[in-house]
Amino acid sequence: MTPKGIAILGSTGSIGCNTLRVIESLGGESFRVVALGAGNNVEILADQVGRHLPELVSVATEAAAHDLRARLFERDLDLPRILVGEPGLVEVATHTDADCVVSATVGAIGFVPTLRALEAGKRVALANKETLVMAGELMTRAAKQSGAELLPVDSEHNALHQCLKGEHHHEVRRIVLTASGGPFRTKSLSEMRSATVSDALRHPTWNMGAKITIDSATLMNKGLEVIEAHWLFGFNADQIGILVHPESVVHSMIELIDGSVIAQLGVTDMRHAIQYAMTYPERHACELPPLDLTALATLHFEEPDHEKFPCIELAYRALRAGGTLPTALNAANEEAVRGFIEERIRLTDIHKVIERVMDQHAIEPALDLETVLAADQSARLLANIEIERLAKPSAVLARS
Ligand SMILES: NC(=O)c1ccc[n+]([C@@H]2O[C@H](COP(=O)([O-])OP(=O)(O)OC[C@H]3O[C@@H](n4cnc5c(N)ncnc54)[C@H](OP(=O)(O)O)[C@@H]3O)[C@@H](O)[C@H]2O)c1
């Protein structure tokens, strides 16, 4: 059997590195790496190139490309083709030998490359949920037209994909996304107000990149996932629920019209979901230890606290309004998260930035690339004005 070609966008990140671990654990007969796209982490990328010998590599800047060449030269390795910036990521995503593209960059940078992969008819294993939030209609239409498969890597959607297999859409009453609740689940609103970046980066169950970890602290991650679920599975906002489940063992569930509930459970490790998306419809043995429910003994479930986590309602509002409002929500969130990580605003300012941007956004149908990109840009501009406004006076942020 010829191994399937894999291209990874965001190979140096948490999902990207886990994807390579999955490929290594499955052995060379199943998959081979043909192209890697990364940002600036040249140290990790050089190791990946040494181990997997891709034909093509893309990095964020010319400086990173220069650094990568020097490191590979030092190790006496044959140089792959090295490209830079978004055009480089697009080449990675559409590489002729790539059967499957793992979309695992963070934020809107992955949008055009992922769209191009779908247009080229590739299987896309999607982790980069922001792309589907900002342009769900464009992405799903592209997949439909080319026949490309769009398979979720996000553990909740991956679980739903498994639960929905063989079920009729009209027999599903609703789907329920589980949420760990993040590091502030048991904290008060005033504790959230004074949270530092390192407090917010301390996720209780998952080890992930910085942006999704902050999204998990505000529960905007769950809001983005509600929109993602809509585009992946075709349910409307009223049919998509959220349940806080701190153990993160039940990855999500569906409720059928006869009252049956089907859930997918597994250990808290993204390699399960990545492997499923890559090998589907086949299942391969996985190197992870089996789930031991007796060791867990108790599982907890509770409703999310909407007062403490207003980002959830903002996401539902964007989904219901449609058009470019989800694009604006995503862009404003990315800028606000950056503002928080740079200590310009508080954690509890993030939803204020997003809401102000949404209030000012003129919604348009999100049917073409130009409209989506224009909405994304104008929302970022507005978000930065809000961030500036909230950041003044700078003494506000003095940490006690
Ligand atoms: N981590 C998880 O468990 C998890 C679970 C579900 C969904 N997701 C989703 O998966 C995506 C990735 O998450 P992550 O946790 O893996 O993030 P991460 O660890 O921060 O990795 C992000 C990746 O994107 C690359 N990147 C950033 N800016 C770039 C640019 N301008 N050009 C090219 N590449 C760029 C980074 O490259 P450098 O590091 O080289 O700069 C890195 O490879 C996110 O959309 C997230 O919501 C993640």
Side-chain angles (χ1 to χ4, degrees):
M1 195 179 75
T2 323
K4 291 201 172 99
I6 299 286
I8 307 175
L9 301 168
S11 67
T12 48
S14 163
I15 293 288
C17 291
N18 272 319
T19 303
L20 290 168
R21 288 170 78 190
V22 168
I23 291 171
E24 284 166 18
S25 77
L26 290 173
E29 309 81 48
S30 301
F31 297 104
R32 75 188 171 99
V33 176
V34 297
L36 296 175
N40 290 298
N41 198 333
V42 174
E43 195 181 338
I44 292 184
L45 185 60
D47 277 342
Q48 295 178 343
V49 171
R51 283 206 318 273
H52 293 277
L53 309 174
E55 187 274 324
L56 169 68
V57 168
S58 175
V59 286
T61 59
E62 287 294 350
H66 182 77
D67 190 0
L68 180 64
R69 268 188 213 102
R71 283 171 193 264
L72 296 177
F73 185 75
E74 237 171 59
R75 294 180 190 200
D76 210 13
L77 286 166
D78 284 344
L79 286 190
R81 218 156 32 101
I82 300 177
L83 301 176
V84 170
E86 189 182 271
L89 287 179
V90 170
E91 290 282 322
V92 169
T94 55
H95 192 287
T96 332
D97 296 338
D99 301 293
C100 172
V101 177
V102 178
S103 170
T105 45
V106 58
I109 183 74
F111 165 49
V112 173
T114 306
L115 180 66
R116 297 296 180 230
L118 290 171
E119 287 168 348
K122 310 281 186 196
R123 166 178 292 195
V124 170
L126 184 78
N128 190 182
K129 66 192 87 180
E130 294 91 342
T131 60
L132 208 50
V133 171
M134 69 187 284
E137 180 131 18
L138 269 184
M139 301 256 295
T140 49
R141 196 178 62 202
K144 211 171 175 181
Q145 282 172 354
S146 70
E149 290 173 296
L150 184 54
L151 287 164
V153 164
D154 226 345
S155 58
E156 295 77 1
H157 305 73
N158 195 275
L160 290 169
H161 189 271
Q162 299 186 47
C163 296
L164 288 164
K165 212 158 80 178
E167 300 299 336
H168 295 292
H169 195 276
H170 67 274
E171 289 173 357
V172 179
R173 184 157 54 204
R174 63 175 201 140
I175 59 177
V176 181
L177 298 160
T178 53
S180 72
F184 302 109
R185 182 178 65 87
T186 56
K187 302 277 193 267
S188 68
L189 195 50
S190 72
E191 283 171 298
M192 278 184 76
R193 235 175 250 131
S194 56
T196 63
V197 175
S198 60
D199 293 335
L201 285 175
R202 220 170 285 129
H203 195 278
T205 47
W206 293 101
N207 185 10
M208 312 177 285
K211 196 264 179 180
I212 183 174
T213 307
I214 302 301
D215 284 345
S216 301
T218 61
L219 259 65
M220 177 52 99
N221 184 47
K222 219 41 59 180
L224 299 177
E225 288 179 4
V226 166
I227 301 173
E228 183 186 10
H230 164 75
W231 289 113
L232 285 170
F233 306 117
F235 294 100
N236 63 41
D238 297 330
Q239 293 175 293
I240 306 173
I242 297 173
L243 204 50
V244 173
H245 164 49
E247 291 85 5
S248 301
V249 163
V250 176
H251 294 313
S252 277
M253 57 190 102
I254 63 170
E255 282 176 24
L256 297 155
I257 50 173
D258 63 1
S260 273
V261 174
I262 302 176
Q264 190 266 342
L265 285 71
V267 293
T268 315
D269 193 306
M270 288 306 294
R271 281 176 287 169
H272 264 310
I274 294 168
Q275 179 170 314
Y276 175 86
M278 286 169 61
T279 63
Y280 177 82
E282 291 170 18
R283 285 192 188 262
H284 291 230
C286 181
E287 64 172 357
L288 291 170
L291 176 66
D292 180 0
L293 283 174
T294 56
L296 285 159
T298 321
L299 299 178
H300 298 86
F301 299 93
E302 63 198 38
E303 289 294 330
D305 181 337
H306 290 273
E307 200 192 333
K308 244 166 60 180
F309 301 107
C311 285
I312 296 176
E313 272 317 308
L314 293 175
Y316 274 103
R317 176 181 149 196
L319 175 57
R320 288 197 171 94
T324 50
L325 199 58
T327 320
L329 166 123
N330 178 66
N333 180 54
E334 281 189 31
E335 293 303 314
V337 169
R338 194 198 323 270
F340 171 65
I341 289 175
E342 290 170 357
E343 301 190 342
R344 288 154 67 208
I345 57 170
R346 294 174 191 275
L347 183 74
T348 46
D349 288 335
I350 291 177
H351 74 89
K352 296 179 192 162
V353 172
I354 301 165
E355 188 165 14
R356 296 272 300 191
V357 170
M358 287 172 69
D359 288 346
Q360 294 169 76
H361 182 74
I363 304 174
E364 287 185 66
L367 298 176
D368 59 82
L369 188 64
E370 293 67 34
T371 307
V372 168
L373 293 178
D376 176 83
Q377 281 310 307
S378 73
R380 283 174 201 276
L381 283 175
L382 282 175
N384 278 299
I385 293 169
E386 285 308 315
I387 290 167
E388 271 305 296
R389 204 179 59 77
L390 287 161
K392 285 177 190 168
S394 51
V396 164
L397 280 181
R399 311 266 169 212
S400 52

